[in-house]
Amino acid sequence: MKDLSNRRQFITGAAALGAAAMLPSAQAHNHGEEKHQGDHGHGHHKHHKHGTVAIPKLTHTVFFWLKNPESTEDRDALIAGLKTLKDIETVRGIHIGVPASTEKRDVVDNSYQVSELLMFDDVEGQNAYQVHPIHQKFVEECSHLWRKVTVFDSIEV
């Protein structure tokens, strides 16, 4: 039972930290600096009073296992393709990463090579992303790089 409780605490904490890391504009806004969210410059985030930022409600987390996991060229090509997704209008936040060198524990799966976390306002925004020409082009040009993809979509409760 303790393992399940620790696992839930970890997942909750990781999700909160990931969301906070994607929204540096909240901190900049609190210090009198005006910056746009992420590096896509769309500025789609919503400010509430006291400088807080409303975090988008839907997260789309994807893990990629490359066909050639030792190839930095393949990894970099996938990352470059993923970066194009920031230009899709319904994407409110994006984080692209590789496994962190954190403590090895039973609950940590770092067997993937690349991950992405996208944030959307709602299911409709995520649906629009799926059929968007930029996403379709990414899949067409990069799908030969991976052997496995796992997706976790979640909506705020």
Side-chain angles (χ1 to χ4, degrees):
M1 190 65 127
K2 186 176 181 186
D3 281 345
L4 184 57
S5 176
N6 287 343
R7 199 171 287 160
R8 284 184 182 144
Q9 287 176 339
F10 170 76
I11 291 169
T12 301
L17 287 173
M22 288 180 39
L23 297 170
S25 58
Q27 210 169 28
H29 185 76
N30 286 336
H31 291 97
E33 302 169 30
E34 190 58 39
K35 290 187 179 179
H36 292 291
Q37 173 183 347
D39 61 351
H40 57 73
H42 293 299
H44 292 299
H45 55 276
K46 298 174 187 166
H47 288 278
H48 294 286
K49 64 182 187 175
H50 306 299
T52 61
V53 174
I55 297 173
K57 306 254 184 254
L58 190 141
T59 61
H60 176 72
T61 309
V62 185
F63 296 90
F64 297 90
W65 285 262
L66 295 174
K67 287 182 182 174
N68 302 305
E70 303 303 317
S71 171
T72 55
E73 185 177 297
D74 286 3
R75 183 198 65 204
D76 293 348
L78 177 57
I79 290 170
L82 289 168
K83 286 182 178 181
T84 66
L85 302 176
K86 71 180 187 267
D87 294 327
I88 298 174
E89 298 81 12
T90 59
V91 171
R92 301 297 185 237
I94 184 169
H95 175 273
I96 300 166
V98 296
S101 57
T102 52
E103 178 184 355
K104 304 295 181 228
R105 300 180 304 132
D106 290 343
V107 296
V108 176
D109 179 354
N110 62 358
S111 64
Y112 64 94
Q113 284 76 49
V114 178
S115 67
E116 74 165 330
L117 172 64
L118 299 177
M119 298 182 94
F120 300 92
D121 289 333
D122 48 34
V123 171
E124 292 78 16
Q126 201 269 352
N127 289 342
Y129 154 83
Q130 289 295 334
V131 297
H132 195 282
I134 293 173
H135 180 250
Q136 296 296 313
K137 182 178 179 185
F138 160 73
V139 172
E140 180 182 321
E141 293 181 354
C142 294
S143 63
H144 70 281
L145 298 170
W146 61 74
R147 67 174 176 81
K148 176 183 171 184
V149 176
T150 301
V151 177
F152 296 94
D153 289 331
S154 65
I155 191 84
E156 182 182 24
V157 293

